[in-house]
Amino acid sequence: HLVEPLGVSLDEKRVRRAGLDYWSQVPLTRWKNWEAFEQRLPELGDAFFLSAEAPRPIWEAAFTERSVLVFGCETAGLPESIRDAYRDRLYAIPMQDDGPRSLNLSTSVGVVLYEALRQRRPG
């Protein structure tokens, strides 16, 4: 699910250049704006919001089979209004110190996704 306005182009040439050779297999849903997405969010699943500004680490999240991971844009992250509205569901990727964060968006998505999958692994 991608919420517009997007900060990247999804034209075929750029997607191919980015190495997304599996793009044709992605069941993509685009939302016109945050409000349209937010209205349907409860039926999509259990939302977890990710931000460097979060009060607790992802290790404290109890991900479910229907988890929806919500990330902000690459450069600015989630807007403050969304962080404030969902503070009880806001989590951060722990870092070793308070220095600069060097995780890009795709790496951050991978880290959180694999933590969610780890929690759901068979007994």
Side-chain angles (χ1 to χ4, degrees):
H1 294 259
L2 298 176
V3 179
E4 295 181 3
L6 302 179
V8 298
S9 170
L10 297 180
D11 71 40
E12 186 177 342
K13 180 180 178 184
R14 292 198 181 182
V15 169
R16 209 173 42 247
R17 180 185 287 157
L20 299 178
D21 56 349
Y22 54 84
W23 191 247
S24 63
Q25 299 172 31
V26 174
L28 182 64
T29 302
R30 289 175 74 161
W31 299 89
K32 288 187 181 275
N33 53 44
W34 170 255
E35 292 75 21
F37 175 71
E38 185 177 36
Q39 184 178 12
R40 301 284 300 277
L41 189 53
E43 64 194 70
L44 296 174
D46 304 312
F48 292 85
F49 296 80
L50 290 301
S51 171
E53 310 299 324
R56 62 194 161 279
I58 60 172
W59 320 134
E60 294 180 16
F63 295 110
T64 67
E65 187 173 331
R66 295 191 58 228
S67 291
V68 176
L69 308 177
V70 181
F71 294 83
C73 70
E74 179 97 44
T75 56
L78 289 172
E80 185 176 2
S81 60
I82 294 174
R83 293 193 317 261
D84 288 345
Y86 294 98
R87 181 132 320 259
D88 63 323
R89 304 203 52 82
L90 191 65
Y91 297 89
I93 297 171
M95 301 296 282
Q96 285 240 296
D97 57 38
D98 291 331
R101 298 178 69 88
S102 60
L103 296 176
N104 66 21
L105 183 58
S106 63
T107 301
S108 298
V109 170
V111 167
V112 178
L113 176 61
Y114 274 86
E115 170 58 15
L117 291 172
R118 185 197 66 78
Q119 287 185 19
R120 294 183 41 228
R121 73 186 184 277

